[in-house]
Amino acid sequence: MALVPYDPFHAVDLMRREMDRFFSPIFTGFREEFSGGPRIDVYETENDVVALCEIPGVEKKDDININIHDNVLAVSGIINRTNEIKDENKVHRTERFYGRFQRSITLPTKVRPEGVKASYRNGVLEIKMPKETPGQHKAIDVEWH
């Protein structure tokens, strides 16, 4: 007989799975928002912090807003579906996201807002942010009277 470690939350986990399985078919037909916003991968290079954001369907650059404040990256915008079928009787299923989105994440190191570059290709927004160089200090001259 194999020993299995005791998990006091095993029953709660089973109940959550059953609830998800029960309610999943009910909500499948509704338009779903990004859960928590677009997915973002963040990694560092020697000089930059790079964020890759999945936001497929953005039609023009004015639909994306990028802000960096107090070491927090905020990406927001809107996805419009202009070439969609408008007749409700002909639409059988709508699962692709459209509408407003927003996501804010704390960056792993301090970055300089000046020099940030962003590019969008194949539904992925790439944001390169130059790292703030540690130990870089500016000497302050004191006026002596």
Side-chain angles (χ1 to χ4, degrees):
M1 182 164 147
L3 291 176
V4 177
Y6 175 69
D7 181 8
F9 298 105
H10 181 70
V12 174
D13 188 45
L14 285 175
M15 187 170 70
R16 182 190 56 81
R17 287 183 194 176
E18 286 298 312
M19 295 293 281
D20 287 346
R21 193 172 63 90
F22 177 76
F23 285 110
S24 179
I26 295 172
F27 296 112
T28 303
F30 294 109
R31 177 176 70 101
E32 295 182 19
E33 299 285 326
F34 283 133
S35 58
R39 291 180 278 215
I40 300 177
D41 294 339
V42 178
Y43 66 92
E44 290 183 57
T45 64
E46 187 175 324
N47 300 319
D48 299 319
V49 174
V50 181
L52 301 171
C53 310
E54 276 187 355
I55 44 175
V58 175
E59 295 177 350
K60 55 187 188 254
K61 73 179 194 173
D62 293 338
D63 292 342
I64 300 174
N65 301 312
I66 303 168
N67 292 303
I68 300 171
H69 182 68
D70 290 336
N71 213 41
V72 174
L73 171 67
V75 179
S76 63
I78 189 167
I79 296 173
N80 295 313
R81 301 278 184 214
T82 56
N83 298 328
E84 297 296 315
I85 297 171
K86 302 295 183 198
D87 187 2
E88 294 290 325
N89 296 326
K90 294 183 181 183
V91 176
H92 296 284
R93 189 177 198 90
T94 303
E95 292 184 355
R96 295 184 306 143
F97 174 81
Y98 62 93
R100 297 200 171 278
F101 63 89
Q102 179 181 0
R103 179 81 189 272
S104 297
I105 59 166
T106 304
L107 298 170
T109 62
K110 293 209 179 267
V111 297
R112 293 189 325 253
E114 57 279 346
V116 173
K117 294 180 183 175
S119 63
Y120 181 81
R121 182 177 182 168
N122 295 332
V124 177
L125 175 67
E126 180 182 53
I127 306 167
K128 288 186 178 182
M129 301 158 279
K131 289 182 185 178
E132 196 171 90
T133 324
Q136 186 181 41
H137 299 284
K138 181 181 176 185
I140 307 298
D141 189 30
V142 178
E143 286 188 31
W144 198 264
H145 297 279

